[in-house]
Amino acid sequence: TLLHRFFSNCDITYGVIFPDRNSNYTPQEIGVYCQEHNISYMPFPLKYRFRDPRNFEAYYRIVSMINAMKPDVVFVANFDQLYLSLMLLLLDRNKTIIGLHDVENHSNTAFGKLATLAKTILLKNFRNFLTYSLHQKEALNAAHQGKNVAAPERTGCARQ
């Protein structure tokens, strides 16, 4: 991650939701990174898989904690989880940036209808988005005019 590259006058809190299995990183790995770079860290382990409706209360608690912190900006990396998308509606929409990995679902997306519904909720209710490629930015601008959309100027990034 590039969190440590932000301005030194920013207070950054890195909140990460961890599903009960199949996470790319462990809470400990993220914790080490944050400690090395003096970043506040809030791990949110879930008892169930991301799309399990039993997480609804956990998502509510996470969003409530975010709101209680009164942040200047909230960035959410979205992976099309319906229940989380519904809870994100409780955030200040003017201060929230939604990171969209895929503007359009791949043809083989598991639970494609739920993913589409989750994405639709965010696209209709938020206006600030970050895509991870210029192609995705163009697709989002074409389908949803009037949104503030940013993307990296070039794809790929050298490892530091």
Side-chain angles (χ1 to χ4, degrees), residues 28-131:
Q28 295 77 15
E29 289 171 318
I30 301 293
V32 167
Y33 167 82
C34 289
Q35 189 171 19
E36 288 174 356
H37 297 287
N38 200 28
I39 296 170
S40 297
Y41 172 52
M42 295 176 65
F44 299 106
L46 297 176
K47 293 180 183 177
Y48 313 104
R49 298 180 70 164
F50 272 127
R51 63 181 166 263
D52 191 312
R54 293 175 289 181
N55 287 321
F56 204 71
E57 183 180 346
Y59 292 146
Y60 177 77
R61 278 183 283 141
I62 293 166
V63 170
S64 294
M65 289 175 74
I66 294 168
N67 283 332
M69 295 173 72
K70 297 183 172 132
D72 293 324
V73 176
V74 175
F75 176 78
V76 179
N78 176 56
F79 292 97
D80 305 324
Q81 302 304 323
L82 177 60
Y83 307 112
L84 180 57
S85 292
L86 288 168
M87 284 295 111
L88 294 178
L89 295 176
L90 298 173
L91 294 173
D92 184 331
R93 296 169 197 182
N94 293 317
K95 294 180 178 183
T96 303
I97 301 167
I98 304 293
L100 286 179
H101 183 262
D102 293 311
V103 174
E104 299 170 347
N105 292 338
H106 299 284
S107 60
N108 62 348
T109 299
F111 300 90
K113 289 183 181 181
L114 288 176
T116 298
L117 180 57
K119 195 176 318 228
T120 299
I121 289 167
L122 297 176
L123 289 168
K124 286 189 175 191
N125 290 285
F126 289 90
R127 64 174 212 211
N128 302 308
F129 294 89
L130 172 70
T131 62

